[in-house]
Amino acid sequence: ELKVEQNPLFLSMQEGKNYTIYCNYSTTSDRLYWYRQDPGKSLESLFVLLSNGAVKQEGRLMASLDTKARLSTLHITAAVHDLSATYFCAALQGGSEKLVFGKGTKLTVNP
Amino acid sequence: EPEVTQTPSHQVTQMGQEVILRCVPISNHLYFYWYRQILGQKVEFLVSFYNNEISEKSEIFDDQFSVERPDGSNFTLKIRSTKLEDSAMYFCENRGIGETQYFGPGTRLLVL
């Protein structure tokens, strides 16, 4: 059964700094997703990564996928306060429609 | 920007009561999903639905749960006899052809 592990679970960083959130998954997956969730709100889709070596960027966020290592990363460049949120990764279970989520990383960017 | 809506936004119910959560999809987006998120915890897949049938369900989605599109438009999740542990945020997701996911704003269910 697919398991998804995210780390760190909590991340406090200063504005202007860079950091990376890691997402490991235990078995083969066809797709890897990243989401943002603000408190009390729904999920906002950030990225879908479909193949080994895929890299996508949007603003200060960049996601990558290494299917051989079963690892995806979400890199934050020059963080700003507006990026404060909880970030989830999710992997699609092979041959299935079931998305398995990580526990989320609560990011706080301090001025 | 297309939008998925959900009703109600909040529901409080007594244990053992039935609840129906509704999702209004985007026109011509025919793939439906329900997820739940217990407060402060991770998101969990419940069920996927396409062409008026369940295509996949998780172990959480037991006989107490059901889904349907009763009027060919709204997509509903019914919990027949709610339990305390059903208290959670329930999100509907809707997709058309392609990868773009559209999540509804969620229904916060509280079972007392």
Side-chain angles (χ1 to χ4, degrees):
Chain A
E1 185 182 325
L2 176 62
K3 295 191 189 313
V4 177
E5 299 282 341
Q6 260 181 265
N7 70 84
L9 299 183
F10 298 92
L11 177 56
S12 180
M13 56 192 295
Q14 290 202 310
E15 280 192 327
K17 298 291 186 186
N18 304 332
Y19 210 84
T20 300
I21 300 171
Y22 297 88
C23 177
N24 290 91
Y25 55 98
S26 60
T27 63
T28 302
S29 173
D30 296 330
R31 286 171 179 73
L32 197 292
Y33 298 80
W34 284 97
Y35 304 95
R36 169 183 172 141
Q37 187 179 40
D38 291 296
K41 302 290 186 182
S42 187
L43 295 168
E44 176 190 348
S45 295
L46 295 175
F47 303 107
V48 180
L49 302 167
L50 302 178
S51 59
N52 189 41
V55 176
K56 290 194 175 177
Q57 182 160 6
E58 182 75 34
R60 299 175 189 274
L61 301 178
M62 183 174 71
S64 66
L65 178 63
D66 181 343
T67 57
K68 291 177 182 165
R70 293 183 188 147
L71 171 68
S72 180
T73 60
L74 181 67
H75 187 72
I76 303 151
T77 302
V80 293
H81 181 67
D82 286 352
L83 289 179
S84 297
T86 298
Y87 292 85
F88 290 95
C89 67
L92 190 67
Q93 189 153 294
S96 161
E97 293 189 75
K98 181 181 178 183
L99 265 182
V100 179
F101 286 77
K103 290 185 177 179
T105 296
K106 184 173 181 180
L107 172 66
T108 304
V109 182
N110 302 304
Chain B
E1 173 81 8
E3 194 176 73
V4 174
T5 58
Q6 288 184 242
T7 59
S9 57
H10 295 78
Q11 175 135 16
V12 181
T13 190
Q14 295 290 325
M15 193 168 56
Q17 295 296 304
E18 175 183 284
V19 295
I20 298 176
L21 312 182
R22 291 182 174 81
C23 173
V24 181
I26 298 165
S27 179
N28 296 322
H29 282 55
L30 301 179
Y31 296 84
F32 300 89
Y33 306 81
W34 283 103
Y35 302 87
R36 79 172 185 192
Q37 184 179 31
I38 295 170
L39 186 63
Q41 298 188 26
K42 66 178 178 180
V43 180
E44 298 173 293
F45 168 85
L46 291 177
V47 66
S48 58
F49 185 90
Y50 171 71
N51 202 24
N52 291 320
E53 285 186 351
I54 290 174
S55 41
E56 189 159 357
K57 58 184 181 180
S58 73
E59 57 278 2
I60 302 168
F61 194 90
D62 61 21
D63 292 344
Q64 296 284 70
F65 291 89
S66 62
V67 289
E68 61 176 0
R69 287 189 79 193
D71 54 6
S73 176
N74 291 352
F75 179 50
T76 63
L77 173 68
K78 184 191 292 186
I79 309 174
R80 283 192 192 81
S81 178
T82 49
K83 302 185 273 254
L84 296 177
E85 54 265 38
D86 293 327
S87 295
M89 192 78 145
Y90 289 82
F91 295 107
C92 166
E93 186 216 324
N94 187 214
R95 263 181 247 181
I97 305 296
E99 295 295 333
T100 305
Q101 297 174 288
Y102 297 94
F103 288 90
T107 294
R108 186 175 295 282
L109 175 66
L110 179 60
V111 182
L112 301 176

